[in-house]
Amino acid sequence: MLSTSDPRVSPRLSRASFFFGQLLQFVSRSENKYKRMNSNERVRIISGSPLGSLSRSSLDATKLLTEKHEELDPENELSRNLTLIPYSLVRAFHCERRRPVLFTPTMLAKTLVQKLLNSGGAMEFTICKSDIVTRDEFLRKQKTETIIYSREKNPNTFECIVPANIEAVAAKNKHCLLEAGIGCVRDLIKCKVYPIVLLIRVSEKNIKRFRKLLPRPETEEEFLRVCRLKEKELEALPCLYATVEAEMWSSVEELLRVLKDKIVEEQRKTIWVDEDQL
């Protein structure tokens, strides 16, 4: 049995616990809507009012919560275990045109793009036409335009994709399937192009299913290591992403079906952008 001198049952701590419980419930009931990075991850983003600022009641509640947290004895159990929820103010966007699609891990993108196009998806999906330029033209282009993806075809020729190439696909009412990495997300959003980002979850349990999707042989350990690094990169994105979990598919055909369903689902959603991260 705990004594009354035990800090876990002290009247002061009990009142503080009750206070924080009530205050957190108030904040959660306020007009701010909590958004998750995806359906399986922690709360990270909340939206403010349409004018881009938090409501007065929410600011007061957050300020009060912070002040009371600072007043607590730093040595007691509640103070040690209470962590304020981090948040970012985001802006909502609605996109009528079909959005481009990025896949991560990026090493799967080329194969997934080809298989989606070959699986009866030509009416909904396509790849964008890239610009073929000389080295000098490419260097000039880097200074005047936003380059989303580029690669050197030969010593004097470059292939590159700019937002205009992607918008041309959207104008045809199709999703542009991109082989670029997620590092281009910020540049796309700055150009008012809002990509759908799809994470295909890789784990020890499903890693063998990817053998047919890898463009070149990789050891399972190396592939898993790279995938985990790519997942960490998602935390820095200024927007939300969708996840294809391991249990959602057991064959390549099922994976393609799930990807198509996810793209349709994401297209319908409101786009939330953390403009502070742009």
Side-chain angles (χ1 to χ4, degrees):
M1 178 178 296
L2 298 173
S3 69
T4 55
S5 61
D6 192 307
R8 286 173 291 178
V9 295
S10 67
R12 182 185 176 192
L13 185 55
S14 297
R15 286 194 298 271
S17 300
F18 176 78
F19 169 78
F20 280 108
Q22 293 297 307
L23 190 53
L24 286 171
Q25 287 180 30
F26 169 76
V27 173
S28 68
R29 288 197 301 267
S30 70
E31 66 187 12
N32 298 294
K33 298 176 182 178
Y34 286 84
K35 298 292 175 182
R36 293 180 181 273
M37 288 301 289
N38 63 51
S39 59
N40 298 307
E41 297 204 12
R42 60 182 173 82
V43 172
R44 175 174 179 263
I45 296 179
I46 63 172
S47 65
S49 67
L51 296 178
S53 61
L54 288 173
S55 69
R56 184 70 210 172
S57 62
S58 299
L59 282 173
D60 290 344
T62 304
K63 182 173 182 291
L64 183 59
L65 181 60
T66 304
E67 289 173 349
K68 290 300 179 183
H69 180 244
E70 291 173 350
E71 289 175 8
L72 283 178
D73 180 355
E75 296 303 317
N76 72 42
E77 187 175 353
L78 178 62
S79 181
R80 289 196 302 270
N81 292 333
L82 178 64
T83 302
L84 295 180
I85 301 172
Y87 64 85
S88 300
L89 185 64
V90 297
R91 186 182 296 275
F93 294 90
H94 300 276
C95 187
E96 298 298 329
R97 286 185 169 186
R98 291 190 174 183
R99 298 159 59 192
V101 182
L102 290 166
F103 304 93
T104 188
T106 311
M107 64 182 69
L108 300 175
K110 185 178 182 66
T111 304
L112 290 175
V113 167
Q114 292 174 344
K115 289 187 177 297
L116 282 169
L117 293 176
N118 294 333
S119 64
M123 297 298 292
E124 303 169 83
F125 311 110
T126 190
I127 55 176
C128 62
K129 183 179 179 182
S130 56
D131 295 336
I132 307 299
V133 296
T134 65
R135 177 178 291 276
D136 290 340
E137 290 172 333
F138 178 72
L139 293 176
R140 286 198 296 271
K141 211 175 187 69
Q142 281 184 313
K143 297 177 181 179
T144 59
E145 296 185 59
T146 299
I147 296 178
I148 302 303
Y149 171 79
S150 65
R151 70 182 183 93
E152 186 176 6
K153 291 177 68 69
N154 58 57
N156 195 45
T157 306
F158 283 78
E159 176 183 5
C160 59
I161 293 173
V162 297
N165 303 130
I166 299 170
E167 290 170 349
V169 173
K172 298 176 182 177
N173 196 31
K174 293 187 178 184
H175 292 284
C176 181
L177 303 180
L178 296 168
E179 298 177 15
I182 60 174
C184 70
V185 169
R186 281 184 179 79
D187 288 334
L188 284 170
I189 293 177
K190 286 179 182 178
C191 296
K192 301 188 185 305
V193 177
Y194 304 101
I196 294 171
V197 181
L198 296 178
L199 164 66
I200 296 90
R201 184 86 69 188
V202 180
S203 66
E204 292 87 347
K205 294 180 180 180
N206 73 341
I207 193 168
K208 295 186 185 299
R209 301 180 204 164
F210 291 92
R211 288 175 177 172
K212 295 181 179 180
L213 298 173
L214 291 172
R216 61 182 183 275
E218 296 270 0
T219 65
E220 291 184 359
E221 293 78 10
E222 177 63 15
F223 179 51
L224 191 59
R225 185 188 68 81
V226 171
C227 291
R228 285 173 174 165
L229 288 175
K230 292 297 180 183
E231 284 194 34
K232 289 181 180 179
E233 291 179 13
L234 291 165
E235 288 293 326
L237 290 184
C239 62
L240 307 181
Y241 62 90
T243 304
V244 176
E245 299 292 354
E247 63 270 16
M248 290 180 176
W249 61 285
S250 59
S251 66
V252 173
E253 291 72 22
E254 286 184 357
L255 174 59
L256 297 177
R257 177 183 55 76
V258 172
L259 289 173
K260 290 178 182 179
D261 290 344
K262 282 286 184 183
I263 292 170
V264 171
E265 179 184 339
E266 292 301 306
Q267 179 66 38
R268 295 191 185 118
K269 292 181 179 179
T270 299
I271 303 160
W272 299 94
V273 177
D274 180 354
E275 294 184 322
D276 289 341
Q277 291 198 46
L278 294 179

